[in-house]
Tab-separated table of all heavy atoms in Angstrom:
chain	number	residue	atom	x	y	z
Z	183	MET	N	19.479	-38.581	-25.584
Z	183	MET	CA	19.746	-37.867	-24.321
Z	183	MET	C	20.728	-38.637	-23.445
Z	183	MET	O	21.591	-38.037	-22.802
Z	183	MET	CB	18.435	-37.645	-23.534
Z	183	MET	CG	17.576	-36.502	-23.997
Z	183	MET	SD	18.391	-34.906	-24.183
Z	183	MET	CE	19.033	-34.622	-22.571
Z	184	ALA	N	20.595	-39.965	-23.438
Z	184	ALA	CA	21.496	-40.781	-22.604
Z	184	ALA	C	22.952	-40.537	-22.998
Z	184	ALA	O	23.851	-40.558	-22.151
Z	184	ALA	CB	21.137	-42.256	-22.738
Z	185	GLY	N	23.179	-40.275	-24.295
Z	185	GLY	CA	24.532	-40.018	-24.777
Z	185	GLY	C	24.996	-38.585	-24.533
Z	185	GLY	O	26.170	-38.276	-24.730
Z	186	LEU	N	24.093	-37.709	-24.160
Z	186	LEU	CA	24.462	-36.297	-23.999
Z	186	LEU	C	24.735	-35.900	-22.546
Z	186	LEU	O	25.423	-34.920	-22.286
Z	186	LEU	CB	23.332	-35.396	-24.537
Z	186	LEU	CG	23.049	-35.452	-26.043
Z	186	LEU	CD1	21.875	-34.557	-26.408
Z	186	LEU	CD2	24.284	-35.016	-26.822
Z	187	ARG	N	24.162	-36.665	-21.597
Z	187	ARG	CA	24.316	-36.278	-20.181
Z	187	ARG	C	25.770	-36.379	-19.739
Z	187	ARG	O	26.400	-37.425	-19.906
Z	187	ARG	CB	23.474	-37.204	-19.294
Z	187	ARG	CG	22.000	-36.910	-19.382
Z	187	ARG	CD	21.187	-37.814	-18.465
Z	187	ARG	NE	19.823	-37.845	-18.974
Z	187	ARG	CZ	19.250	-38.907	-19.530
Z	187	ARG	NH1	19.895	-40.043	-19.620
Z	187	ARG	NH2	18.020	-38.833	-19.982
Z	188	PRO	N	26.317	-35.315	-19.167
Z	188	PRO	CA	27.700	-35.383	-18.673
Z	188	PRO	C	27.767	-36.241	-17.417
Z	188	PRO	O	26.754	-36.405	-16.718
Z	188	PRO	CB	28.041	-33.925	-18.355
Z	188	PRO	CG	26.721	-33.251	-18.135
Z	188	PRO	CD	25.694	-33.997	-18.926
Z	189	ALA	N	28.947	-36.796	-17.146
Z	189	ALA	CA	29.112	-37.644	-15.957
Z	189	ALA	C	28.749	-36.835	-14.715
Z	189	ALA	O	29.104	-35.662	-14.596
Z	189	ALA	CB	30.568	-38.112	-15.885
Z	190	GLY	N	28.007	-37.458	-13.808
Z	190	GLY	CA	27.657	-36.804	-12.550
Z	190	GLY	C	26.419	-35.934	-12.631
Z	190	GLY	O	25.988	-35.371	-11.629
Z	191	TYR	N	25.828	-35.813	-13.829
Z	191	TYR	CA	24.620	-34.973	-13.950
Z	191	TYR	C	23.447	-35.657	-13.258
Z	191	TYR	O	23.155	-36.827	-13.500
Z	191	TYR	CB	24.286	-34.736	-15.424
Z	191	TYR	CG	22.963	-34.035	-15.633
Z	191	TYR	CD1	22.821	-32.693	-15.303
Z	191	TYR	CD2	21.854	-34.720	-16.126
Z	191	TYR	CE1	21.603	-32.049	-15.464
Z	191	TYR	CE2	20.639	-34.084	-16.297
Z	191	TYR	CZ	20.518	-32.743	-15.966
Z	191	TYR	OH	19.302	-32.118	-16.123
Z	192	LYS	N	22.786	-34.910	-12.367
Z	192	LYS	CA	21.665	-35.481	-11.631
Z	192	LYS	C	20.360	-35.123	-12.352
Z	192	LYS	O	20.033	-33.949	-12.499
Z	192	LYS	CB	21.649	-34.918	-10.205
Z	192	LYS	CG	20.828	-35.746	-9.256
Z	192	LYS	CD	20.983	-35.228	-7.822
Z	192	LYS	CE	20.031	-35.873	-6.855
Z	192	LYS	NZ	18.622	-35.762	-7.136
Z	193	ARG	N	19.669	-36.133	-12.803
Z	193	ARG	CA	18.438	-35.882	-13.556
Z	193	ARG	C	17.326	-35.404	-12.628
Z	193	ARG	O	17.221	-35.850	-11.489
Z	193	ARG	CB	17.990	-37.166	-14.247
Z	193	ARG	CG	18.996	-37.633	-15.265
Z	193	ARG	CD	18.599	-38.969	-15.829
Z	193	ARG	NE	17.343	-38.882	-16.572
Z	193	ARG	CZ	16.733	-39.914	-17.128
Z	193	ARG	NH1	17.236	-41.108	-17.002
Z	193	ARG	NH2	15.614	-39.764	-17.796
Z	194	PRO	N	16.473	-34.476	-13.103
Z	194	PRO	CA	15.360	-34.020	-12.256
Z	194	PRO	C	14.408	-35.180	-11.954
Z	194	PRO	O	14.247	-36.081	-12.788
Z	194	PRO	CB	14.672	-32.948	-13.098
Z	194	PRO	CG	15.248	-33.035	-14.455
Z	194	PRO	CD	16.503	-33.839	-14.409
Z	195	GLU	N	13.813	-35.161	-10.754
Z	195	GLU	CA	12.938	-36.282	-10.380
Z	195	GLU	C	11.552	-36.162	-10.985
Z	195	GLU	O	10.868	-37.149	-11.203
Z	195	GLU	CB	12.847	-36.367	-8.852
Z	195	GLU	CG	14.056	-37.089	-8.285
Z	195	GLU	CD	14.219	-36.895	-6.805
Z	195	GLU	OE1	13.221	-36.516	-6.150
Z	195	GLU	OE2	15.338	-37.118	-6.318
Z	196	SER	N	11.123	-34.921	-11.229
Z	196	SER	CA	9.769	-34.733	-11.759
Z	196	SER	C	9.828	-33.852	-13.004
Z	196	SER	O	10.700	-32.994	-13.144
Z	196	SER	CB	8.903	-34.077	-10.686
Z	196	SER	OG	7.732	-33.581	-11.287
Z	197	ASN	N	8.884	-34.062	-13.914
Z	197	ASN	CA	8.920	-33.302	-15.173
Z	197	ASN	C	8.137	-31.996	-15.122
Z	197	ASN	O	8.112	-31.256	-16.103
Z	197	ASN	CB	8.424	-34.190	-16.328
Z	197	ASN	CG	6.991	-34.675	-16.125
Z	197	ASN	OD1	6.252	-34.168	-15.282
Z	197	ASN	ND2	6.581	-35.658	-16.917
Z	198	GLY	N	7.474	-31.724	-13.984
Z	198	GLY	CA	6.741	-30.454	-13.874
Z	198	GLY	C	5.430	-30.424	-14.642
Z	198	GLY	O	4.831	-29.358	-14.824
Z	199	PHE	N	4.978	-31.602	-15.082
Z	199	PHE	CA	3.706	-31.656	-15.795
Z	199	PHE	C	2.539	-31.825	-14.815
Z	199	PHE	O	2.717	-32.221	-13.657
Z	199	PHE	CB	3.703	-32.813	-16.815
Z	199	PHE	CG	4.302	-32.419	-18.147
Z	199	PHE	CD1	5.637	-32.042	-18.241
Z	199	PHE	CD2	3.525	-32.406	-19.300
Z	199	PHE	CE1	6.199	-31.657	-19.462
Z	199	PHE	CE2	4.070	-32.030	-20.531
Z	199	PHE	CZ	5.399	-31.649	-20.611
Z	200	ALA	N	1.340	-31.520	-15.296
Z	200	ALA	CA	0.128	-31.714	-14.492
Z	200	ALA	C	-0.135	-33.207	-14.325
Z	200	ALA	O	0.465	-34.032	-15.029
Z	200	ALA	CB	-1.053	-31.055	-15.202
Z	201	ASP	N	-1.025	-33.551	-13.379
Z	201	ASP	CA	-1.474	-34.947	-13.302
Z	201	ASP	C	-2.922	-35.018	-13.820
Z	201	ASP	O	-3.553	-33.993	-14.089
Z	201	ASP	CB	-1.326	-35.517	-11.881
Z	201	ASP	CG	-2.115	-34.720	-10.849
Z	201	ASP	OD1	-3.037	-33.954	-11.248
Z	201	ASP	OD2	-1.815	-34.849	-9.658
Z	202	TRP	N	-3.421	-36.242	-13.960
Z	202	TRP	CA	-4.756	-36.387	-14.555
Z	202	TRP	C	-5.821	-35.704	-13.706
Z	202	TRP	O	-6.753	-35.103	-14.236
Z	202	TRP	CB	-5.086	-37.866	-14.772
Z	202	TRP	CG	-4.316	-38.489	-15.909
Z	202	TRP	CD1	-3.392	-39.491	-15.835
Z	202	TRP	CD2	-4.400	-38.130	-17.304
Z	202	TRP	NE1	-2.895	-39.777	-17.083
Z	202	TRP	CE2	-3.493	-38.967	-18.012
Z	202	TRP	CE3	-5.146	-37.200	-18.021
Z	202	TRP	CZ2	-3.327	-38.885	-19.392
Z	202	TRP	CZ3	-4.973	-37.117	-19.401
Z	202	TRP	CH2	-4.078	-37.951	-20.063
Z	203	GLU	N	-5.692	-35.805	-12.370
Z	203	GLU	CA	-6.704	-35.190	-11.506
Z	203	GLU	C	-6.747	-33.678	-11.721
Z	203	GLU	O	-7.822	-33.068	-11.797
Z	203	GLU	CB	-6.414	-35.537	-10.033
Z	203	GLU	CG	-7.538	-35.223	-9.060
Z	203	GLU	CD	-8.934	-35.580	-9.598
Z	203	GLU	OE1	-9.113	-36.713	-10.090
Z	203	GLU	OE2	-9.839	-34.716	-9.527
Z	204	GLY	N	-5.556	-33.059	-11.822
Z	204	GLY	CA	-5.483	-31.618	-12.076
Z	204	GLY	C	-6.127	-31.248	-13.405
Z	204	GLY	O	-6.840	-30.236	-13.511
Z	205	LEU	N	-5.896	-32.069	-14.414
Z	205	LEU	CA	-6.472	-31.776	-15.733
Z	205	LEU	C	-7.990	-31.969	-15.736
Z	205	LEU	O	-8.722	-31.215	-16.374
Z	205	LEU	CB	-5.828	-32.667	-16.807
Z	205	LEU	CG	-4.358	-32.351	-17.126
Z	205	LEU	CD1	-3.795	-33.354	-18.139
Z	205	LEU	CD2	-4.187	-30.930	-17.663
Z	206	ARG	N	-8.456	-32.985	-14.967
Z	206	ARG	CA	-9.916	-33.180	-14.871
Z	206	ARG	C	-10.564	-31.953	-14.224
Z	206	ARG	O	-11.606	-31.469	-14.662
Z	206	ARG	CB	-10.241	-34.439	-14.059
Z	206	ARG	CG	-10.215	-35.713	-14.898
Z	206	ARG	CD	-10.773	-36.902	-14.139
Z	206	ARG	NE	-9.802	-37.445	-13.202
Z	206	ARG	CZ	-8.874	-38.358	-13.518
Z	206	ARG	NH1	-8.818	-38.853	-14.738
Z	206	ARG	NH2	-8.024	-38.796	-12.618
Z	207	LYS	N	-9.895	-31.443	-13.188
Z	207	LYS	CA	-10.405	-30.252	-12.497
Z	207	LYS	C	-10.451	-29.062	-13.478
Z	207	LYS	O	-11.421	-28.313	-13.523
Z	207	LYS	CB	-9.467	-29.932	-11.316
Z	207	LYS	CG	-10.138	-29.216	-10.181
Z	207	LYS	CD	-9.200	-29.145	-8.990
Z	207	LYS	CE	-9.223	-27.734	-8.429
Z	207	LYS	NZ	-8.112	-27.420	-7.563
Z	208	ALA	N	-9.386	-28.926	-14.265
Z	208	ALA	CA	-9.340	-27.828	-15.243
Z	208	ALA	C	-10.454	-27.977	-16.276
Z	208	ALA	O	-11.115	-27.004	-16.647
Z	208	ALA	CB	-7.979	-27.803	-15.934
Z	209	ALA	N	-10.667	-29.229	-16.719
Z	209	ALA	CA	-11.697	-29.467	-17.747
Z	209	ALA	C	-13.087	-29.126	-17.218
Z	209	ALA	O	-13.975	-28.733	-17.982
Z	209	ALA	CB	-11.641	-30.921	-18.212
Z	210	ARG	N	-13.246	-29.269	-15.879
Z	210	ARG	CA	-14.557	-28.964	-15.277
Z	210	ARG	C	-14.721	-27.480	-14.955
Z	210	ARG	O	-15.793	-27.046	-14.567
Z	210	ARG	CB	-14.731	-29.776	-13.979
Z	210	ARG	CG	-14.984	-31.258	-14.175
Z	210	ARG	CD	-15.509	-31.897	-12.887
Z	210	ARG	NE	-14.582	-31.738	-11.773
Z	210	ARG	CZ	-13.657	-32.647	-11.407
Z	210	ARG	NH1	-13.567	-33.783	-12.061
Z	210	ARG	NH2	-12.872	-32.429	-10.385
Z	211	SER	N	-13.635	-26.694	-15.081
Z	211	SER	CA	-13.671	-25.296	-14.629
Z	211	SER	C	-14.582	-24.426	-15.489
Z	211	SER	O	-15.015	-23.359	-15.080
Z	211	SER	CB	-12.257	-24.701	-14.670
Z	211	SER	OG	-11.840	-24.513	-16.018
Z	212	GLY	N	-14.856	-24.892	-16.708
Z	212	GLY	CA	-15.680	-24.079	-17.606
Z	212	GLY	C	-14.849	-23.122	-18.445
Z	212	GLY	O	-15.375	-22.464	-19.345
Z	213	TYR	N	-13.545	-23.042	-18.189
Z	213	TYR	CA	-12.689	-22.128	-18.956
Z	213	TYR	C	-11.708	-22.856	-19.871
Z	213	TYR	O	-11.015	-22.229	-20.652
Z	213	TYR	CB	-11.898	-21.215	-18.008
Z	213	TYR	CG	-12.788	-20.217	-17.327
Z	213	TYR	CD1	-13.282	-20.453	-16.056
Z	213	TYR	CD2	-13.175	-19.061	-17.991
Z	213	TYR	CE1	-14.134	-19.545	-15.446
Z	213	TYR	CE2	-14.021	-18.149	-17.396
Z	213	TYR	CZ	-14.504	-18.393	-16.128
Z	213	TYR	OH	-15.352	-17.509	-15.542
Z	214	VAL	N	-11.625	-24.181	-19.718
Z	214	VAL	CA	-10.558	-24.900	-20.420
Z	214	VAL	C	-11.133	-25.984	-21.324
Z	214	VAL	O	-11.931	-26.813	-20.879
Z	214	VAL	CB	-9.582	-25.554	-19.410
Z	214	VAL	CG1	-8.501	-26.329	-20.154
Z	214	VAL	CG2	-8.952	-24.499	-18.501
Z	215	GLU	N	-10.722	-25.967	-22.597
Z	215	GLU	CA	-11.021	-27.073	-23.508
Z	215	GLU	C	-9.727	-27.865	-23.691
Z	215	GLU	O	-8.641	-27.301	-23.767
Z	215	GLU	CB	-11.522	-26.529	-24.853
Z	215	GLU	CG	-11.559	-27.602	-25.933
Z	215	GLU	CD	-12.762	-27.546	-26.856
Z	215	GLU	OE1	-13.383	-26.479	-26.964
Z	215	GLU	OE2	-13.059	-28.587	-27.479
Z	216	MET	N	-9.848	-29.190	-23.748
Z	216	MET	CA	-8.655	-30.028	-23.885
Z	216	MET	C	-8.433	-30.427	-25.344
Z	216	MET	O	-9.378	-30.838	-26.026
Z	216	MET	CB	-8.809	-31.296	-23.044
Z	216	MET	CG	-8.863	-31.008	-21.566
Z	216	MET	SD	-7.301	-30.308	-20.962
Z	216	MET	CE	-7.782	-29.920	-19.264
Z	217	GLY	N	-7.181	-30.330	-25.786
Z	217	GLY	CA	-6.845	-30.695	-27.164
Z	217	GLY	C	-5.694	-31.694	-27.195
Z	217	GLY	O	-4.943	-31.835	-26.232
Z	218	GLY	N	-5.549	-32.385	-28.329
Z	218	GLY	CA	-4.513	-33.407	-28.479
Z	218	GLY	C	-3.173	-32.825	-28.904
Z	218	GLY	O	-3.118	-31.819	-29.634
Z	219	HIS	N	-2.088	-33.470	-28.452
Z	219	HIS	CA	-0.726	-33.014	-28.800
Z	219	HIS	C	0.181	-34.248	-28.863
Z	219	HIS	O	1.335	-34.177	-28.491
Z	219	HIS	CB	-0.270	-32.035	-27.718
Z	219	HIS	CG	0.874	-31.134	-28.106
Z	219	HIS	ND1	1.014	-30.555	-29.340
Z	219	HIS	CD2	1.941	-30.700	-27.377
Z	219	HIS	CE1	2.104	-29.807	-29.358
Z	219	HIS	NE2	2.700	-29.884	-28.181
Z	220	THR	N	-0.373	-35.361	-29.321
Z	220	THR	CA	0.265	-36.695	-29.411
Z	220	THR	C	0.551	-37.289	-28.026
Z	220	THR	O	0.119	-36.744	-27.005
Z	220	THR	CB	1.589	-36.691	-30.228
Z	220	THR	OG1	2.608	-36.049	-29.479
Z	220	THR	CG2	1.405	-36.038	-31.583
Z	221	VAL	N	1.327	-38.371	-28.014
Z	221	VAL	CA	1.683	-39.051	-26.766
Z	221	VAL	C	3.057	-38.562	-26.295
Z	221	VAL	O	3.202	-38.033	-25.194
Z	221	VAL	CB	1.690	-40.588	-26.973
Z	221	VAL	CG1	2.100	-41.304	-25.689
Z	221	VAL	CG2	0.331	-41.077	-27.455
Z	222	THR	N	4.087	-38.706	-27.167
Z	222	THR	CA	5.456	-38.410	-26.731
Z	222	THR	C	6.052	-37.155	-27.374
Z	222	THR	O	7.226	-36.875	-27.205
Z	222	THR	CB	6.396	-39.594	-27.058
Z	222	THR	OG1	6.507	-39.718	-28.493
Z	222	THR	CG2	5.882	-40.897	-26.476
Z	223	HIS	N	5.233	-36.423	-28.157
Z	223	HIS	CA	5.692	-35.160	-28.750
Z	223	HIS	C	6.777	-35.343	-29.827
Z	223	HIS	O	7.818	-34.672	-29.801
Z	223	HIS	CB	6.207	-34.246	-27.629
Z	223	HIS	CG	6.120	-32.774	-27.933
Z	223	HIS	ND1	6.973	-32.164	-28.822
Z	223	HIS	CD2	5.308	-31.800	-27.468
Z	223	HIS	CE1	6.678	-30.863	-28.873
Z	223	HIS	NE2	5.663	-30.615	-28.066
Z	224	PRO	N	6.553	-36.231	-30.800
Z	224	PRO	CA	7.543	-36.376	-31.883
Z	224	PRO	C	7.340	-35.329	-32.982
Z	224	PRO	O	6.265	-34.742	-33.092
Z	224	PRO	CB	7.211	-37.765	-32.442
Z	224	PRO	CG	5.738	-37.891	-32.235
Z	224	PRO	CD	5.394	-37.135	-30.976
Z	225	ALA	N	8.380	-35.120	-33.788
Z	225	ALA	CA	8.207	-34.343	-35.018
Z	225	ALA	C	7.504	-35.271	-36.002
Z	225	ALA	O	8.078	-36.277	-36.436
Z	225	ALA	CB	9.557	-33.898	-35.559
Z	226	LEU	N	6.263	-34.983	-36.337
Z	226	LEU	CA	5.421	-35.931	-37.076
Z	226	LEU	C	5.866	-36.143	-38.519
Z	226	LEU	O	5.437	-37.088	-39.172
Z	226	LEU	CB	3.964	-35.467	-37.037
Z	226	LEU	CG	3.329	-35.564	-35.641
Z	226	LEU	CD1	2.001	-34.815	-35.615
Z	226	LEU	CD2	3.131	-37.016	-35.220
Z	227	SER	N	6.720	-35.280	-39.014
Z	227	SER	CA	7.253	-35.504	-40.363
Z	227	SER	C	8.255	-36.652	-40.353
Z	227	SER	O	8.603	-37.190	-41.399
Z	227	SER	CB	7.935	-34.231	-40.864
Z	227	SER	OG	8.874	-33.786	-39.903
Z	228	ILE	N	8.740	-37.044	-39.151
Z	228	ILE	CA	9.747	-38.103	-39.034
Z	228	ILE	C	9.131	-39.405	-38.529
Z	228	ILE	O	9.418	-40.474	-39.043
Z	228	ILE	CB	10.885	-37.671	-38.060
Z	228	ILE	CG1	11.501	-36.339	-38.505
Z	228	ILE	CG2	11.952	-38.765	-37.908
Z	228	ILE	CD1	12.189	-36.376	-39.846
Z	229	SER	N	8.293	-39.300	-37.487
Z	229	SER	CA	7.724	-40.529	-36.902
Z	229	SER	C	6.491	-40.186	-36.060
Z	229	SER	O	6.179	-39.016	-35.841
Z	229	SER	CB	8.768	-41.201	-36.007
Z	229	SER	OG	9.052	-40.359	-34.903
Z	230	GLY	N	5.808	-41.262	-35.610
Z	230	GLY	CA	4.773	-41.095	-34.584
Z	230	GLY	C	3.384	-40.763	-35.072
Z	230	GLY	O	2.574	-40.258	-34.290
Z	231	LEU	N	3.058	-41.059	-36.336
Z	231	LEU	CA	1.722	-40.709	-36.833
Z	231	LEU	C	0.603	-41.362	-36.022
Z	231	LEU	O	-0.447	-40.757	-35.795
Z	231	LEU	CB	1.584	-41.112	-38.313
Z	231	LEU	CG	2.342	-40.265	-39.337
Z	231	LEU	CD1	2.068	-40.770	-40.743
Z	231	LEU	CD2	1.976	-38.791	-39.217
Z	232	SER	N	0.854	-42.603	-35.551
Z	232	SER	CA	-0.208	-43.292	-34.799
Z	232	SER	C	-0.480	-42.612	-33.453
Z	232	SER	O	-1.534	-42.803	-32.852
Z	232	SER	CB	0.171	-44.755	-34.573
Z	232	SER	OG	1.347	-44.817	-33.797
Z	233	GLU	N	0.470	-41.797	-32.988
Z	233	GLU	CA	0.287	-41.099	-31.707
Z	233	GLU	C	-0.797	-40.016	-31.771
Z	233	GLU	O	-1.275	-39.548	-30.752
Z	233	GLU	CB	1.598	-40.459	-31.253
Z	233	GLU	CG	2.666	-41.454	-30.858
Z	233	GLU	CD	3.822	-40.756	-30.162
Z	233	GLU	OE1	3.639	-39.627	-29.667
Z	233	GLU	OE2	4.924	-41.337	-30.126
Z	234	ILE	N	-1.147	-39.613	-33.001
Z	234	ILE	CA	-2.161	-38.556	-33.130
Z	234	ILE	C	-3.492	-39.069	-32.576
Z	234	ILE	O	-4.129	-38.409	-31.750
Z	234	ILE	CB	-2.296	-38.120	-34.604
Z	234	ILE	CG1	-0.973	-37.499	-35.085
Z	234	ILE	CG2	-3.447	-37.143	-34.773
Z	234	ILE	CD1	-0.937	-37.164	-36.574
Z	235	SER	N	-3.886	-40.269	-33.002
Z	235	SER	CA	-5.156	-40.820	-32.502
Z	235	SER	C	-4.989	-41.438	-31.112
Z	235	SER	O	-5.884	-41.359	-30.278
Z	235	SER	CB	-5.735	-41.838	-33.482
Z	235	SER	OG	-4.777	-42.845	-33.736
Z	236	GLU	N	-3.810	-42.015	-30.844
Z	236	GLU	CA	-3.572	-42.607	-29.504
Z	236	GLU	C	-3.700	-41.559	-28.403
Z	236	GLU	O	-4.314	-41.787	-27.360
Z	236	GLU	CB	-2.146	-43.176	-29.419
Z	236	GLU	CG	-2.000	-44.620	-29.813
Z	236	GLU	CD	-0.521	-45.004	-29.838
Z	236	GLU	OE1	0.168	-44.819	-28.818
Z	236	GLU	OE2	-0.057	-45.458	-30.904
Z	237	GLY	N	-3.085	-40.410	-28.627
Z	237	GLY	CA	-3.138	-39.339	-27.635
Z	237	GLY	C	-4.554	-38.854	-27.411
Z	237	GLY	O	-4.970	-38.578	-26.286
Side-chain angles (χ1 to χ4, degrees):
M183 280 309 302
L186 294 178
R187 286 182 202 111
Y191 173 71
K192 198 173 171 302
R193 297 174 64 183
E195 279 165 19
S196 165
N197 60 14
F199 274 63
D201 59 18
W202 287 116
E203 193 41 49
L205 290 176
R206 275 190 281 274
K207 207 171 134 197
R210 287 195 301 266
S211 71
Y213 290 97
V214 178
E215 167 140 22
M216 295 295 174
H219 199 40
T220 72
V221 178
T222 66
H223 207 287
L226 291 168
S227 52
I228 305 296
S229 65
L231 287 182
S232 62
E233 292 191 20
I234 296 174
S235 55
E236 269 173 55

